[in-house]
Amino acid sequence: MTTSSAPGVPCWIDMMTSDEAKTRDFYTKLFGWTAGESAAEEFGGYFMFMRGEAPVAGAMPQAPGQVAPEEWTVYLASENARKTLEVALSSGASELVPAMDVGDLGTMAVVTDVAGARIGIWEAKTFTGIGVRGEVGTQSWFELHTLDYDANVAFYRDVFGWDAHTMSDTPEFRYTTLGENESATAGIMDASSYSEGDFISEWGVYISVEDTDASIEKAISLGGQLVQEPRDSPYGRLAEVADATGCRIKLMGPNTES
């Protein structure tokens, strides 16, 4: 399934890695991605992961002496990144990366939203982002777990123009989606009912796999770790692993037979 670049829709993910070789090895072997060549020096050695002929993610090695979070950043599509950044900041976001042109590919910015979750902004020019979605080895869902649910729903509706739909509003499970039913592409979950300790609001990315348990075993064999035990759900068998540098990614495969 190809992807949509409509405003507000997740359109890209990337990360900064402390060990490029480990990152390339982990994702190519776990998801069947191929890793492209590093870009020119002015782009910081950025490279893309591909699934077949379609781009699915990007990564950049940390510069010597640089310390950056080992995490995936989700980007939402915008028709005008500078304007979206302006609205985000006026709505309570904090700027992490100012709006900047990336050659002729597009314009980017990165902020933390009103609950502190990192989120990117991407205005496409020649590069629209993720080339395929919902197939094995590609993104199947994007999800924000937040400690300030009401404020976050309002933020993404007001800043990114989300067509927000309440899927559930019980004390145990509060959840809003971008789009409705089969057209939904991302979700916001209230984490206050289960969060503890040093929990922080953050975006997560699910990758479709053929077998969740087998993918966990493979991830561990590649130097990763199990973060969340696998469990069957109405949407598939879900789990979370950390890669060989500690960057976390979620898995979604078929449920096990009861």
Side-chain angles (χ1 to χ4, degrees):
M1 179 174 64
T2 57
T3 61
S4 167
S5 57
V9 171
C11 62
W12 190 239
I13 63 170
D14 67 13
M15 54 117 85
M16 297 191 72
T17 175
S18 59
D19 193 317
E20 180 180 350
K22 286 183 177 180
T23 295
R24 286 174 176 268
D25 184 67
F26 185 88
Y27 291 99
T28 55
K29 291 180 178 177
L30 182 61
F31 296 134
W33 294 354
T34 56
E37 296 295 323
S38 297
E41 185 175 343
E42 69 243 45
F43 294 111
Y46 195 96
F47 64 93
M48 289 189 186
F49 287 108
M50 310 289 287
R51 179 67 175 175
E53 298 298 317
V56 289
M60 179 189 297
Q62 295 178 16
Q66 181 183 24
V67 178
E70 301 274 2
E71 63 183 36
W72 287 103
T73 297
V74 175
Y75 291 80
L76 303 184
S78 168
E79 294 180 335
N80 186 322
R82 288 178 171 82
K83 179 62 176 178
T84 299
L85 175 60
E86 179 183 326
V87 175
L89 297 179
S90 67
S91 299
S94 298
E95 184 178 88
L96 293 178
V97 179
M100 58 185 291
D101 294 330
V102 185
D104 64 351
L105 301 177
T107 303
M108 66 163 287
V110 181
V111 301
T112 54
D113 66 24
V114 288
R118 182 184 182 96
I119 189 68
I121 301 165
W122 181 252
E123 175 191 344
K125 293 178 183 173
T126 62
F127 181 70
T128 57
I130 298 168
V132 63
R133 170 176 163 163
E135 300 178 4
V136 170
T138 70
Q139 293 89 341
S140 57
W141 191 245
F142 303 84
E143 190 170 77
L144 170 63
H145 289 228
T146 175
L147 293 177
D148 199 343
Y149 175 80
D150 292 323
N152 261 146
V153 171
F155 178 85
Y156 287 94
R157 183 188 61 229
D158 297 342
V159 175
F160 291 97
W162 270 35
D163 176 24
H165 292 266
T166 301
M167 191 180 82
S168 177
D169 195 20
T170 67
E172 299 78 20
F173 184 53
R174 303 180 72 201
Y175 203 96
T176 290
T177 59
L178 166 59
E180 191 173 18
N181 300 324
E182 294 301 318
S183 67
T185 54
I188 299 175
M189 179 183 288
D190 185 356
S192 59
S193 64
Y194 63 83
S195 61
E196 57 184 34
D198 57 356
F199 179 91
I200 59 172
S201 299
E202 61 183 355
W203 277 89
V205 182
Y206 289 87
I207 304 296
S208 290
V209 295
E210 292 181 343
D211 184 317
T212 300
D213 296 80
S215 294
I216 292 170
E217 292 182 8
K218 183 69 172 178
I220 293 172
S221 75
L222 293 170
Q225 295 181 326
L226 178 63
V227 177
Q228 291 184 349
E229 294 283 346
R231 61 181 179 86
D232 287 352
S233 79
Y235 312 102
R237 188 160 174 81
L238 312 178
E240 184 175 39
V241 296
D243 69 18
T245 68
C247 184
R248 289 175 292 131
I249 193 84
K250 297 177 185 290
L251 310 175
M252 180 184 294
N255 283 328
T256 57
E257 294 183 1
S258 57

